[in-house]
Amino acid sequence: MARVSDLGIDLGTSNVLIYQKGKGIVLRQPAVVAIERTTKKVLAVGTEAYKMIGRTPGNVLAIRPFRQGVVSDFELANTMLRNFMSQLIGKRFFARPRVVLSVPTGVNESEKSNIVSILYDAGVKRTQLLDRPIAAAMGVGMDFRKPYGCMIVDMGAGVTDIAVLASGMVIEAASVCYGGDYFDDAIIRYLRKKHNLLIGERTAEEVKITIGSAVPPTSGMSCEVTGRSLLSGLPKTQTIHATEIYEAIKDAVADLIESIQSVLERTPPQLASDIFEDGIVLSGGAASLAGLPEAIYGALHIPCGVADDPQTSVVLGCGRVLDDFNAYKNILTDSRRGVVR
């Protein structure tokens, strides 16, 4: 029986994206599993589980098996990936594909081993690892193999990878927690403190997308937000203005910018000069926050832009490796034997 085409996988905190060689992106689903609280029975995976977030009865939990680039629940991660892989390869055991998997900069060897084990159980024959910043840079079309500095900031829900690349390698990098979830948590805390309004993660994300901004908003945008009153315990709808959400997340944005500056300060001067000239590229789903390039430019005076489709940058980079494996095999790490040569 023919083997399924090789796959490129982006295991994000909030979404899983899979690229199949010759077909492009074949799966894009939320990284969520819904279980029954007492029996731990799996009720839904992916999109159907995501719909349950904030809308489930007390006996149902909607859980993300990955947090900040690592496995937070091994069993549920296994269940989720088995479900996704079965959608692609079915029950054809002998059709086990090979995989290029992106991993955040800060993931240690033990955490990498856990993820590789889960993929093997889910039906993968062999996993080769690709640094997430390199995958993102490839996905946005950066030519980082020249002796010329370039900078990518890949912003996921749980982790932001900041990296300076040159001569085909990572020169300086940092993996920080200032991603989409960090902004959402700031919004939740702000509304709780100012309006005595308790909202969930999903509502906070919707507010951020609708009226969130990393710079002071120039319009009087607002939206209606429904949560639970901390005073009465009853449902409450509150009008929230864009200026309030800016106030809620401005410190979180400042933390992100400080991390970018820290990486630049450790970068060799000539490569840093290249970046000041050519700018910074933002990728990842959280990079879509309105005004973020302007906020970075205002603080660092470096041009900054967002990838055309930031959420797919990493998985497209994995796909680019699959499509021309011999040209890029030197940047992969084999999960069994070290660097592939």
Side-chain angles (χ1 to χ4, degrees):
M1 185 175 290
R3 180 171 58 84
V4 172
S5 298
D6 295 340
L7 304 174
I9 300 181
D10 174 15
L11 292 180
T13 299
S14 61
N15 292 284
V16 175
L17 286 83
I18 300 180
Y19 179 104
Q20 188 168 358
K21 185 177 180 180
K23 293 186 177 181
I25 298 174
V26 293
L27 184 141
R28 186 192 307 209
Q29 293 224 27
V32 182
V33 180
I35 64 171
E36 206 279 330
R37 184 187 295 270
T38 54
T39 66
K40 307 301 181 184
K41 177 183 177 181
V42 175
L43 303 176
V45 174
T47 301
E48 293 305 313
Y50 178 77
K51 293 177 181 177
M52 297 182 178
I53 295 178
R55 303 179 187 277
T56 58
N59 66 324
V60 177
L61 295 175
I63 299 173
R64 291 177 176 177
F66 293 93
R67 287 285 181 180
Q68 297 185 356
V70 300
V71 181
S72 60
D73 190 308
F74 192 94
E75 187 174 336
L76 290 184
N78 199 316
T79 297
M80 181 181 72
L81 288 177
R82 277 180 174 272
N83 180 283
F84 293 159
M85 294 302 293
S86 70
Q87 295 180 39
L88 301 178
I89 65 177
K91 299 183 181 300
R92 297 176 292 174
F93 182 81
F94 294 105
R96 298 169 74 97
R98 293 175 298 181
V99 160
V100 170
L101 171 71
S102 68
V103 290
T105 302
V107 173
N108 61 40
E109 293 303 316
S110 174
E111 292 161 345
K112 290 177 184 177
S113 179
N114 285 341
I115 297 173
V116 170
S117 296
I118 289 171
L119 286 172
Y120 183 82
D121 289 344
V124 170
K125 178 182 179 181
R126 179 185 180 189
T127 301
Q128 290 164 300
L129 307 177
L130 178 62
D131 283 346
R132 190 177 183 89
I134 291 180
M138 293 179 67
V140 302
M142 276 186 176
D143 186 1
F144 61 92
R145 290 184 288 183
K146 295 180 179 179
Y148 196 82
C150 54
M151 189 173 207
I152 185 82
V153 178
D154 183 69
M155 301 180 61
V159 173
T160 290
D161 280 297
I162 306 165
V164 173
L165 311 174
S167 302
M169 66 183 73
V170 177
I171 305 300
E172 283 292 341
S175 186
V176 298
C177 66
Y178 309 135
D181 288 350
Y182 191 71
F183 297 142
D184 297 344
D185 290 344
I187 292 171
I188 291 171
R189 292 194 302 270
Y190 181 89
L191 296 185
R192 181 192 296 140
K193 182 177 180 180
K194 182 171 182 180
H195 295 290
N196 291 308
L197 184 67
L198 181 63
I199 63 171
E201 295 176 4
R202 185 171 175 180
T203 300
E205 182 181 23
E206 291 170 352
V207 171
K208 177 185 67 182
I209 292 171
T210 304
I211 61 172
S213 176
V215 294
T218 56
S219 67
M221 290 180 60
S222 64
C223 68
E224 299 292 310
V225 178
T226 299
R228 178 164 59 85
S229 169
L230 293 175
L231 299 178
S232 68
L234 299 175
K236 173 184 176 182
T237 299
Q238 178 77 40
T239 299
I240 304 297
H241 297 277
T243 52
E244 294 181 282
I245 302 305
Y246 164 71
E247 288 295 324
I249 65 175
K250 67 178 184 180
D251 289 343
V253 171
D255 289 338
L256 171 66
I257 294 173
E258 185 177 341
S259 297
I260 296 172
Q261 181 176 349
S262 177
V263 172
L264 283 168
E265 289 171 351
R266 301 195 305 269
T267 301
Q270 186 57 56
L271 298 181
S273 176
D274 296 337
I275 294 166
F276 271 83
E277 181 178 336
D278 282 355
I280 299 169
V281 176
L282 305 179
S283 66
S288 299
L289 176 66
L292 189 55
E294 292 82 359
I296 294 172
Y297 179 79
L300 303 179
H301 305 292
I302 302 174
C304 187
V306 181
D308 291 339
D309 187 0
Q311 192 177 68
T312 64
S313 300
V314 169
V315 77
L316 289 177
C318 294
R320 189 171 174 184
V321 172
L322 293 174
D323 293 337
D324 195 358
F325 186 83
N326 288 332
Y328 295 107
K329 65 181 181 180
N330 65 309
I331 62 175
L332 295 173
T333 301
D334 193 289
S335 58
R336 300 172 301 180
R337 294 190 296 271
V339 177
V340 180
R341 296 293 184 188

